[in-house]
Amino acid sequence: MRITHGIIYRNFLRNLDNVTNNLNKEFEQISSGKRILRPSDDPVSIRTTLNLKEGLKRIEQYERNIDNAISWLNMTESALSDMENVINRLEEITISMGSDNVSSSERKIAAEEVKQIRSHALMIVNTRFKGRYIFAGFKTDTPPFVEKNGSIIYQGGNESIEVEVDNGIKTSYNLTGSLFTDQVNIFQLMDNLIDSLNNNDPNAIRSLLDDIHTAYNKINIAHSNIGAKTKTLNNMKEDFSKRKLLFEDIISKKEDADMAKAISKLYIYQSGYQALLNSFAKITSVNLFNYIG
């Protein structure tokens, strides 16, 4: 079979195209830092990395959910701590003003202090986080406690607000205003204390101590539970951070280029490219560009 210039030229173009493609691939890997640039480069690894990236997106969503829940819980914990201080002060007033040695005028002064404490407590139970009332159940856009006809009443809901913190796992992160009204109504307790102080009735004052202790214990238990839940969510965040690092490491190993290897191959392909041009020029004894022309 006679080898013509046409055959030589077509073989040259085919080999040149292969070398050029290899050169371009190495250039792309080096410039992008990625081994996989298109699905055809490694279909199996592409599927693996896509699944891992979807997993990362889910983890990041869970982390956002957890961060929001922790911030809400921190605000709740602060409010409960304030309410514990309120009840402690009520206990101090009740003990001191329940003494038979206290005068009527002293008890009236104490009644005024309790009124101020009552106003402060109303602010606490209407605490908001990012514009949402934290003790209102689902009615987060409405103050859960309002004063009507001289009494403070609860008008919020009793629902638990939940968020997904892992695949199929949800947790509630709110408390409702019933914490301050069930078993012992804290505001009714303060109203009773104010009345007893104004009436100069030490027996009635002393009789409120049990309810004060009950109210404090209930809030203290809720406070402890909030702390435990916050700790659990923080532990979950740490686990997610470790899982993210693992996913990112696997993705990096699948996707990232071995730069030393890519540069070495680039040099090889560049040498091959130049050798191909030189070889073609010698075989045809013509300048490549003249031949094309």
Side-chain angles (χ1 to χ4, degrees), residues 80 84 179 214-226:
L80 294 182
E84 286 173 338
L179 174 67
T214 298
Y216 180 86
N217 289 335
K218 186 178 181 183
I219 291 173
N220 184 253
I221 290 170
H223 192 172
S224 298
N225 290 339
I226 290 292

Side-chain angles (χ1 to χ4, degrees), residues 20-250:
T20 302
N21 286 336
N22 287 331
L23 272 172
N24 289 336
K25 182 178 179 181
E26 299 307 319
F27 272 126
E28 286 181 308
Q29 287 191 6
I30 292 169
S31 61
S32 67
K34 297 296 181 183
R35 180 180 68 86
I36 301 175
L37 301 168
R38 52 192 64 83
S40 59
D41 291 339
D42 189 341
V44 174
S45 292
I46 282 288
R47 285 195 295 271
T48 300
T49 56
L50 286 176
N51 289 335
L52 289 170
K53 286 177 180 179
E54 284 300 316
L56 280 177
K57 287 181 182 178
R58 289 194 296 272
I59 288 174
E60 288 166 357
Q61 183 59 60
Y62 296 145
E63 287 180 325
R64 287 192 291 272
N65 292 347
I66 289 172
D67 283 338
N68 183 73
I70 288 175
S71 296
W72 184 292
L73 288 168
N74 287 339
M75 185 65 72
T76 303
E77 192 169 14
S78 177
L80 294 182
S81 180
D82 289 344
M83 188 59 79
E84 286 173 338
N85 291 335
V86 162
I87 297 176
N88 280 332
R89 181 55 186 154
L90 290 178
E91 181 185 36
E92 292 171 356
I93 292 172
T94 301
I95 291 173
S96 61
M97 293 298 110
S99 171
D100 292 328
N101 299 322
V102 177
S103 66
S104 173
S105 60
E106 288 175 312
R107 289 191 176 116
K108 287 187 180 297
I109 293 172
E112 292 302 313
E113 182 182 353
V114 176
K115 288 180 183 179
Q116 296 300 316
I117 293 173
R118 181 179 181 273
S119 297
H120 178 55
L122 180 58
M123 292 175 60
I124 294 172
V125 296
N126 282 336
T127 295
R128 288 186 292 179
F129 171 68
K130 293 184 178 179
R132 303 169 67 196
Y133 292 94
I134 65 174
F135 295 116
F138 286 163
K139 300 178 181 179
T140 56
D141 59 345
T142 303
F145 286 88
V146 294
E147 186 156 8
K148 291 184 179 179
N149 301 320
S151 297
I152 295 175
I153 63 171
Y154 180 60
Q155 62 177 9
N158 291 308
E159 306 87 0
S160 294
I161 300 176
E162 294 184 334
V163 67
E164 190 171 17
V165 293
D166 205 343
N167 187 25
I169 300 175
K170 293 184 177 182
T171 187
S172 63
Y173 57 90
N174 71 308
L175 296 174
T176 67
S178 60
L179 174 67
F180 310 108
T181 59
D182 291 354
Q183 199 171 1
V184 174
N185 186 314
I186 290 174
F187 293 102
Q188 185 60 56
L189 173 61
M190 285 188 275
D191 288 340
N192 292 341
L193 180 56
I194 291 169
D195 289 340
S196 299
L197 289 167
N198 283 326
N199 293 332
N200 195 31
D201 187 342
N203 289 328
I205 294 170
R206 288 192 292 266
S207 70
L208 298 174
L209 274 175
D210 285 343
D211 283 347
I212 289 174
H213 293 155
T214 298
Y216 180 86
N217 289 335
K218 186 178 181 183
I219 291 173
N220 184 253
I221 290 170
H223 192 172
S224 298
N225 290 339
I226 290 292
K229 183 166 288 189
T230 301
K231 183 177 180 180
T232 297
L233 291 177
N234 276 316
N235 289 338
M236 292 185 73
K237 275 190 65 178
E238 291 182 9
D239 289 340
F240 279 135
S241 294
K242 294 175 183 177
R243 203 183 305 178
K244 279 178 65 177
L245 288 175
L246 176 62
F247 282 15
E248 289 166 353
D249 182 58
I250 296 173

